Amino acid sequence: MSDRVLGAKISATASYLPPRIMPNSELEKMVETTDDWIVDRTGIKERRIAAPGECTSDLGYKAAKKLLDDYRIDPKSIDLIICATFSPDFLFPATACLIQHRIGAVNAGAYDVEAACTGYVSALSIAAGMVKSGEMKRVLVVASETNSRIMDWTDRNTCVIFGDGAAATLVEPTEPGKGILGFFLRSDGGGAELLEMPAGGTRMPASQETVMTRQHYLRMKGKEIFKMAVAGMSDGVTNLLQRFNYRREDISVLVPHQANKRIMDAVGKRLHLSPQKVCSNIERYGNTSAATIPICLDEMNRGRVEGLMLKSGDLVALTAFGGGLTWGAGLILWE
Ligand code: UT7
Protein backbone atom coordinates (compact mmCIF):
# COMPACT_ATOMS: atom_id res chain seq x y z
CA MET A 1 0.00 0.00 0.00
CA SER A 2 1.28 3.44 -0.94
CA ASP A 3 1.36 6.14 1.78
CA ARG A 4 0.86 8.86 -0.86
CA VAL A 5 -2.65 10.36 -0.93
CA LEU A 6 -4.01 9.99 -4.43
CA GLY A 7 -7.01 11.25 -6.28
CA ALA A 8 -9.76 8.97 -7.62
CA LYS A 9 -11.82 9.41 -10.75
CA ILE A 10 -14.65 7.71 -12.58
CA SER A 11 -12.78 6.39 -15.60
CA ALA A 12 -15.52 4.35 -17.31
CA THR A 13 -19.31 4.09 -17.30
CA ALA A 14 -21.92 1.73 -18.75
CA SER A 15 -25.57 0.97 -18.15
CA TYR A 16 -28.15 -1.66 -18.96
CA LEU A 17 -31.87 -1.08 -19.15
CA PRO A 18 -34.07 -4.08 -19.89
CA PRO A 19 -35.78 -3.62 -23.29
CA ARG A 20 -39.35 -4.17 -22.08
CA ILE A 21 -41.08 -0.79 -21.75
CA MET A 22 -44.10 -0.38 -19.48
CA PRO A 23 -45.94 2.85 -20.36
CA ASN A 24 -48.32 4.54 -17.93
CA SER A 25 -51.25 3.31 -20.03
CA GLU A 26 -50.44 -0.25 -18.89
CA LEU A 27 -50.65 0.80 -15.24
CA GLU A 28 -54.07 2.37 -15.90
CA LYS A 29 -55.32 -1.19 -16.45
CA MET A 30 -53.75 -2.51 -13.23
CA VAL A 31 -54.56 0.11 -10.56
CA GLU A 32 -56.83 3.13 -10.24
CA THR A 33 -54.56 5.72 -11.83
CA THR A 34 -54.20 7.77 -14.99
CA ASP A 35 -51.37 8.72 -17.31
CA ASP A 36 -52.15 12.38 -16.52
CA TRP A 37 -51.82 11.86 -12.75
CA ILE A 38 -48.51 10.00 -13.06
CA VAL A 39 -46.96 12.51 -15.49
CA ASP A 40 -48.26 15.48 -13.52
CA ARG A 41 -47.25 14.26 -10.03
CA THR A 42 -44.00 12.42 -10.89
CA GLY A 43 -42.82 13.27 -14.44
CA ILE A 44 -42.70 9.57 -15.33
CA LYS A 45 -44.05 8.42 -18.72
CA GLU A 46 -42.67 4.88 -18.85
CA ARG A 47 -40.32 2.53 -17.02
CA ARG A 48 -38.34 -0.62 -17.91
CA ILE A 49 -39.24 -4.05 -16.58
CA ALA A 50 -36.83 -7.00 -16.35
CA ALA A 51 -37.65 -10.12 -18.36
CA PRO A 52 -39.23 -13.06 -16.50
CA GLY A 53 -36.47 -14.78 -14.55
CA GLU A 54 -34.06 -11.87 -15.03
CA CYS A 55 -32.93 -10.50 -11.67
CA THR A 56 -30.60 -7.94 -10.11
CA SER A 57 -27.31 -9.77 -10.68
CA ASP A 58 -28.32 -10.32 -14.34
CA LEU A 59 -28.90 -6.60 -14.93
CA GLY A 60 -25.74 -5.73 -12.97
CA TYR A 61 -23.74 -8.30 -14.91
CA LYS A 62 -24.90 -6.85 -18.25
CA ALA A 63 -23.91 -3.31 -17.21
CA ALA A 64 -20.53 -4.49 -15.88
CA LYS A 65 -19.82 -6.63 -18.97
CA LYS A 66 -20.64 -3.71 -21.25
CA LEU A 67 -18.19 -1.51 -19.34
CA LEU A 68 -15.43 -4.14 -19.59
CA ASP A 69 -16.07 -4.69 -23.32
CA ASP A 70 -16.47 -1.02 -24.29
CA TYR A 71 -13.30 0.06 -22.50
CA ARG A 72 -11.34 -3.18 -23.07
CA ILE A 73 -10.74 -3.73 -19.36
CA ASP A 74 -9.31 -7.06 -18.22
CA PRO A 75 -11.65 -8.37 -15.47
CA LYS A 76 -8.61 -9.90 -13.74
CA SER A 77 -7.31 -6.36 -13.11
CA ILE A 78 -10.28 -5.42 -10.89
CA ASP A 79 -9.51 -5.29 -7.16
CA LEU A 80 -13.00 -4.86 -5.73
CA ILE A 81 -16.64 -4.98 -6.81
CA ILE A 82 -19.24 -3.11 -4.76
CA CYS A 83 -22.88 -3.62 -5.65
CA ALA A 84 -25.37 -1.00 -4.47
CA THR A 85 -28.85 -2.50 -4.34
CA PHE A 86 -31.93 -2.83 -2.16
CA SER A 87 -33.43 -5.52 -4.38
CA PRO A 88 -30.65 -8.17 -4.16
CA ASP A 89 -30.98 -11.66 -5.66
CA PHE A 90 -30.80 -13.09 -2.11
CA LEU A 91 -30.47 -11.86 1.48
CA PHE A 92 -27.11 -13.59 1.02
CA PRO A 93 -24.86 -14.35 -0.81
CA ALA A 94 -24.10 -10.81 -1.96
CA THR A 95 -25.19 -9.84 -5.46
CA ALA A 96 -21.67 -8.41 -5.99
CA CYS A 97 -20.23 -11.95 -5.66
CA LEU A 98 -22.59 -13.27 -8.34
CA ILE A 99 -21.51 -10.47 -10.69
CA GLN A 100 -17.83 -11.05 -9.81
CA HIS A 101 -18.09 -14.70 -10.82
CA ARG A 102 -19.88 -14.03 -14.09
CA ILE A 103 -17.46 -11.38 -15.32
CA GLY A 104 -14.45 -13.47 -14.27
CA ALA A 105 -12.98 -10.93 -11.84
CA VAL A 106 -10.94 -13.64 -10.13
CA ASN A 107 -8.70 -11.19 -8.25
CA ALA A 108 -11.52 -9.05 -6.82
CA GLY A 109 -13.17 -8.84 -3.43
CA ALA A 110 -16.92 -8.29 -3.58
CA TYR A 111 -19.69 -7.06 -1.30
CA ASP A 112 -23.03 -5.26 -1.39
CA VAL A 113 -23.91 -1.86 0.04
CA GLU A 114 -27.52 -1.32 1.10
CA ALA A 115 -28.42 2.33 1.45
CA ALA A 116 -31.57 2.22 -0.71
CA CYS A 117 -31.66 5.12 -3.18
CA THR A 118 -28.49 6.61 -1.64
CA GLY A 119 -26.72 3.31 -2.38
CA TYR A 120 -24.67 4.49 -5.35
CA VAL A 121 -23.36 7.63 -3.62
CA SER A 122 -22.49 5.49 -0.56
CA ALA A 123 -20.74 2.80 -2.62
CA LEU A 124 -18.87 5.40 -4.66
CA SER A 125 -17.61 7.00 -1.43
CA ILE A 126 -16.06 3.66 -0.39
CA ALA A 127 -14.58 3.08 -3.85
CA ALA A 128 -13.05 6.58 -3.91
CA GLY A 129 -11.65 6.12 -0.39
CA MET A 130 -10.06 2.78 -1.32
CA VAL A 131 -8.41 4.27 -4.40
CA LYS A 132 -7.34 7.53 -2.72
CA SER A 133 -5.67 5.62 0.10
CA GLY A 134 -3.65 3.61 -2.43
CA GLU A 135 -5.18 0.38 -1.08
CA MET A 136 -6.80 -0.47 -4.44
CA LYS A 137 -6.36 0.58 -8.05
CA ARG A 138 -9.53 -0.54 -9.81
CA VAL A 139 -12.89 -0.62 -8.06
CA LEU A 140 -16.03 -1.47 -9.99
CA VAL A 141 -19.20 0.05 -8.55
CA VAL A 142 -22.34 -1.62 -9.86
CA ALA A 143 -25.77 -0.25 -8.99
CA SER A 144 -28.55 -2.61 -9.96
CA GLU A 145 -32.22 -2.90 -9.10
CA THR A 146 -35.07 -5.18 -10.10
CA ASN A 147 -37.69 -3.11 -8.32
CA SER A 148 -40.52 -4.73 -10.27
CA ARG A 149 -39.99 -7.88 -8.13
CA ILE A 150 -40.48 -6.08 -4.82
CA MET A 151 -43.42 -3.95 -5.96
CA ASP A 152 -46.96 -4.50 -4.77
CA TRP A 153 -48.68 -4.20 -8.16
CA THR A 154 -51.98 -3.51 -6.37
CA ASP A 155 -50.58 -0.42 -4.55
CA ARG A 156 -50.87 2.70 -6.70
CA ASN A 157 -48.80 4.71 -4.19
CA THR A 158 -45.66 2.82 -5.18
CA CYS A 159 -46.05 0.73 -8.33
CA VAL A 160 -46.37 3.73 -10.66
CA ILE A 161 -43.01 5.16 -9.56
CA PHE A 162 -40.37 2.44 -9.67
CA GLY A 163 -38.55 0.73 -12.55
CA ASP A 164 -35.70 -1.70 -13.24
CA GLY A 165 -32.18 -0.86 -14.42
CA ALA A 166 -28.45 -1.08 -13.74
CA ALA A 167 -25.24 0.86 -14.28
CA ALA A 168 -21.54 0.27 -13.66
CA THR A 169 -18.75 2.78 -13.07
CA LEU A 170 -15.04 2.13 -12.71
CA VAL A 171 -13.02 4.10 -10.15
CA GLU A 172 -9.28 4.50 -10.73
CA PRO A 173 -6.44 6.74 -9.44
CA THR A 174 -5.85 10.26 -10.69
CA GLU A 175 -3.92 13.30 -9.49
CA PRO A 176 -4.89 14.65 -6.05
CA GLY A 177 -7.51 17.41 -6.25
CA LYS A 178 -9.01 16.03 -9.47
CA GLY A 179 -11.83 13.57 -10.10
CA ILE A 180 -14.00 12.60 -7.13
CA LEU A 181 -13.55 15.40 -4.61
CA GLY A 182 -15.63 14.29 -1.65
CA PHE A 183 -18.92 13.23 -0.09
CA PHE A 184 -21.57 14.29 2.38
CA LEU A 185 -23.44 11.35 3.91
CA ARG A 186 -26.19 11.36 6.53
CA SER A 187 -28.81 8.96 7.91
CA ASP A 188 -31.77 8.83 10.29
CA GLY A 189 -32.96 5.38 11.30
CA GLY A 190 -35.78 7.10 13.19
CA GLY A 191 -37.56 7.30 9.83
CA ALA A 192 -36.96 3.63 8.96
CA GLU A 193 -40.65 2.81 8.61
CA LEU A 194 -41.23 5.49 5.96
CA LEU A 195 -39.72 3.28 3.26
CA GLU A 196 -39.41 -0.39 4.05
CA MET A 197 -40.05 -4.01 3.16
CA PRO A 198 -41.49 -5.29 6.44
CA ALA A 199 -41.12 -9.08 6.00
CA GLY A 200 -38.47 -11.52 4.85
CA GLY A 201 -35.72 -10.46 7.26
CA THR A 202 -35.04 -11.65 10.82
CA ARG A 203 -37.59 -9.31 12.42
CA MET A 204 -40.49 -10.79 10.48
CA PRO A 205 -39.35 -14.01 8.79
CA ALA A 206 -41.33 -15.27 5.82
CA SER A 207 -44.50 -17.11 6.82
CA GLN A 208 -47.84 -17.89 5.25
CA GLU A 209 -49.27 -14.90 7.09
CA THR A 210 -46.62 -12.44 5.84
CA VAL A 211 -47.27 -13.57 2.29
CA MET A 212 -51.06 -13.34 2.69
CA THR A 213 -50.78 -9.84 4.13
CA ARG A 214 -48.44 -8.72 1.32
CA GLN A 215 -45.60 -7.73 3.62
CA HIS A 216 -42.82 -8.81 1.24
CA TYR A 217 -43.30 -5.74 -0.89
CA LEU A 218 -41.88 -2.24 -0.72
CA ARG A 219 -44.00 0.19 1.30
CA MET A 220 -43.54 3.92 1.18
CA LYS A 221 -45.04 6.96 2.88
CA GLY A 222 -44.21 9.17 -0.09
CA LYS A 223 -45.74 12.40 1.11
CA GLU A 224 -43.67 12.35 4.33
CA ILE A 225 -40.47 11.62 2.41
CA PHE A 226 -41.02 14.30 -0.23
CA LYS A 227 -40.12 17.37 1.87
CA MET A 228 -37.21 15.66 3.62
CA ALA A 229 -35.82 14.60 0.23
CA VAL A 230 -35.85 18.17 -1.09
CA ALA A 231 -34.12 19.52 2.04
CA GLY A 232 -31.61 16.67 2.40
CA MET A 233 -30.61 16.61 -1.25
CA SER A 234 -30.03 20.35 -1.47
CA ASP A 235 -28.27 20.62 1.92
CA GLY A 236 -25.82 17.90 0.90
CA VAL A 237 -24.73 19.80 -2.21
CA THR A 238 -24.55 23.14 -0.36
CA ASN A 239 -22.33 21.57 2.29
CA LEU A 240 -19.92 20.18 -0.32
CA LEU A 241 -19.75 23.44 -2.26
CA GLN A 242 -18.72 25.26 0.91
CA ARG A 243 -16.20 22.58 1.87
CA PHE A 244 -14.50 22.60 -1.52
CA ASN A 245 -14.77 26.35 -2.01
CA TYR A 246 -17.09 26.43 -4.99
CA ARG A 247 -20.12 28.60 -5.69
CA ARG A 248 -23.50 27.29 -6.83
CA GLU A 249 -22.94 28.78 -10.28
CA ASP A 250 -19.75 26.70 -10.64
CA ILE A 251 -21.87 23.54 -10.90
CA SER A 252 -21.87 22.33 -14.52
CA VAL A 253 -24.47 19.65 -13.92
CA LEU A 254 -26.55 18.43 -11.00
CA VAL A 255 -27.37 14.71 -11.06
CA PRO A 256 -30.21 14.23 -8.58
CA HIS A 257 -31.61 10.82 -7.68
CA GLN A 258 -34.53 10.39 -10.09
CA ALA A 259 -37.31 9.84 -7.53
CA ASN A 260 -39.83 12.40 -8.67
CA LYS A 261 -39.46 15.23 -11.19
CA ARG A 262 -41.06 17.64 -8.71
CA ILE A 263 -38.38 16.79 -6.10
CA MET A 264 -35.62 17.22 -8.70
CA ASP A 265 -37.03 20.59 -9.83
CA ALA A 266 -37.35 21.80 -6.23
CA VAL A 267 -33.74 20.83 -5.45
CA GLY A 268 -32.53 22.61 -8.62
CA LYS A 269 -34.51 25.69 -7.62
CA ARG A 270 -33.14 25.73 -4.07
CA LEU A 271 -29.63 25.60 -5.50
CA HIS A 272 -30.50 28.41 -7.97
CA LEU A 273 -29.58 26.23 -10.95
CA SER A 274 -31.12 26.66 -14.38
CA PRO A 275 -33.28 23.64 -15.33
CA GLN A 276 -30.84 22.92 -18.20
CA LYS A 277 -28.18 22.03 -15.62
CA VAL A 278 -30.32 19.39 -13.88
CA CYS A 279 -29.96 15.95 -15.45
CA SER A 280 -33.28 14.18 -15.93
CA ASN A 281 -34.25 10.92 -17.58
CA ILE A 282 -37.04 10.03 -15.14
CA GLU A 283 -39.69 10.23 -17.86
CA ARG A 284 -38.11 7.20 -19.57
CA TYR A 285 -37.03 5.03 -16.63
CA GLY A 286 -38.91 6.09 -13.48
CA ASN A 287 -37.16 5.54 -10.17
CA THR A 288 -34.54 2.78 -10.45
CA SER A 289 -33.44 3.52 -6.84
CA ALA A 290 -29.65 3.05 -6.43
CA ALA A 291 -29.17 2.90 -10.22
CA THR A 292 -30.65 6.29 -11.19
CA ILE A 293 -27.51 8.41 -10.70
CA PRO A 294 -25.00 6.14 -12.50
CA ILE A 295 -27.50 5.61 -15.36
CA CYS A 296 -27.62 9.41 -15.72
CA LEU A 297 -23.81 9.63 -15.59
CA ASP A 298 -23.50 6.99 -18.31
CA GLU A 299 -26.11 8.61 -20.52
CA MET A 300 -24.42 12.01 -20.19
CA ASN A 301 -20.99 10.46 -20.71
CA ARG A 302 -22.27 8.98 -23.98
CA GLY A 303 -24.08 12.15 -25.06
CA ARG A 304 -27.53 10.62 -24.69
CA VAL A 305 -29.06 13.39 -22.57
CA GLU A 306 -30.04 16.39 -24.65
CA GLY A 307 -27.87 19.41 -23.88
CA LEU A 308 -25.76 17.57 -21.29
CA MET A 309 -22.56 15.92 -22.51
CA LEU A 310 -20.00 15.41 -19.75
CA LYS A 311 -16.60 16.90 -20.53
CA SER A 312 -13.29 17.22 -18.74
CA GLY A 313 -13.33 19.99 -16.13
CA ASP A 314 -17.10 19.87 -15.52
CA LEU A 315 -18.10 20.20 -11.88
CA VAL A 316 -20.65 17.43 -11.34
CA ALA A 317 -22.79 17.30 -8.19
CA LEU A 318 -24.58 14.06 -7.28
CA THR A 319 -27.33 14.00 -4.67
CA ALA A 320 -29.71 11.34 -3.37
CA PHE A 321 -32.28 10.54 -0.69
CA GLY A 322 -33.75 7.18 0.19
CA GLY A 323 -34.87 4.55 2.66
CA GLY A 324 -33.05 4.12 5.92
CA LEU A 325 -33.48 7.04 5.94
CA THR A 326 -30.29 7.86 4.08
CA TRP A 327 -29.18 10.85 2.09
CA GLY A 328 -25.97 12.12 0.61
CA ALA A 329 -24.16 14.06 -2.06
CA GLY A 330 -20.90 13.81 -3.97
CA LEU A 331 -18.81 16.35 -5.86
CA ILE A 332 -16.75 15.37 -8.92
CA LEU A 333 -14.39 17.33 -11.13
CA TRP A 334 -15.03 15.27 -14.25
CA GLU A 335 -12.05 13.97 -16.22
O1 UT7 B 1 -36.74 7.11 -4.06
C1 UT7 B 1 -36.67 7.06 -2.69
C2 UT7 B 1 -37.39 8.11 -1.96
N1 UT7 B 1 -38.74 8.28 -2.42
C3 UT7 B 1 -39.19 9.47 -2.77
O2 UT7 B 1 -38.44 10.42 -2.77
C4 UT7 B 1 -40.65 9.59 -3.10
C5 UT7 B 1 -41.20 10.87 -2.56
N2 UT7 B 1 -42.63 11.01 -2.73
C6 UT7 B 1 -43.24 11.20 -3.93
O3 UT7 B 1 -42.62 11.15 -4.96
C7 UT7 B 1 -44.72 11.51 -3.92
O4 UT7 B 1 -45.13 11.72 -2.60
C8 UT7 B 1 -45.61 10.42 -4.59
C9 UT7 B 1 -45.40 10.41 -6.09
C10 UT7 B 1 -45.35 9.08 -3.98
C11 UT7 B 1 -47.08 10.77 -4.35
O5 UT7 B 1 -47.37 12.07 -4.86
P1 UT7 B 1 -48.11 13.15 -3.95
O6 UT7 B 1 -48.27 14.34 -4.78
O7 UT7 B 1 -47.34 13.29 -2.67
O8 UT7 B 1 -49.50 12.48 -3.73
P2 UT7 B 1 -50.26 12.17 -2.35
O9 UT7 B 1 -49.70 10.96 -1.71
O10 UT7 B 1 -50.35 13.44 -1.55
O11 UT7 B 1 -51.69 11.86 -2.89
C12 UT7 B 1 -52.54 12.86 -3.49
C13 UT7 B 1 -53.79 12.18 -3.99
C14 UT7 B 1 -54.43 11.28 -2.94
O12 UT7 B 1 -55.82 11.32 -3.13
P3 UT7 B 1 -56.74 12.24 -2.17
O13 UT7 B 1 -56.50 11.74 -0.79
O14 UT7 B 1 -56.25 13.64 -2.38
O15 UT7 B 1 -58.11 12.01 -2.70
C15 UT7 B 1 -53.94 9.91 -3.34
O16 UT7 B 1 -54.79 8.87 -2.92
O17 UT7 B 1 -53.48 11.34 -5.10
C16 UT7 B 1 -53.90 10.02 -4.84
N3 UT7 B 1 -52.98 9.10 -5.48
C17 UT7 B 1 -53.09 8.72 -6.76
N4 UT7 B 1 -54.00 9.02 -7.71
C18 UT7 B 1 -53.85 8.47 -8.92
C19 UT7 B 1 -51.87 8.52 -4.96
N5 UT7 B 1 -51.26 7.76 -5.89
C20 UT7 B 1 -52.03 7.86 -7.01
C21 UT7 B 1 -51.92 7.31 -8.30
N6 UT7 B 1 -52.84 7.64 -9.22
N7 UT7 B 1 -50.91 6.48 -8.64
Side-chain angles (χ1 to χ4, degrees), residues 202-242:
T202 54
R203 182 171 295 276
M204 204 190 287
S207 69
Q208 221 169 9
E209 196 199 330
T210 61
V211 174
M212 302 256 292
T213 50
R214 310 183 74 77
Q215 305 213 56
H216 297 274
Y217 296 118
L218 177 150
R219 287 184 183 176
M220 181 172 76
K221 297 200 174 94
K223 213 178 172 62
E224 279 94 326
I225 291 178
F226 195 105
K227 273 191 200 155
M228 287 187 272
V230 174
M233 286 165 74
S234 16
D235 290 352
V237 175
T238 304
N239 177 290
L240 285 177
L241 290 174
Q242 279 166 2

Side-chain angles (χ1 to χ4, degrees), residues 1-9 124-137 139 171-183 243-244 331:
M1 187 174 99
S2 152
D3 54 4
R4 200 161 57 94
V5 176
L6 302 166
K9 66 175 177 182
L124 188 67
S125 74
I126 302 170
M130 286 289 195
V131 170
K132 285 184 183 184
S133 72
E135 181 73 29
M136 300 200 170
K137 285 200 166 58
V139 182
V171 179
E172 291 188 283
T174 187
E175 289 165 44
K178 287 190 171 177
I180 302 167
L181 300 179
F183 294 90
R243 202 171 113 207
F244 288 94
L331 205 58

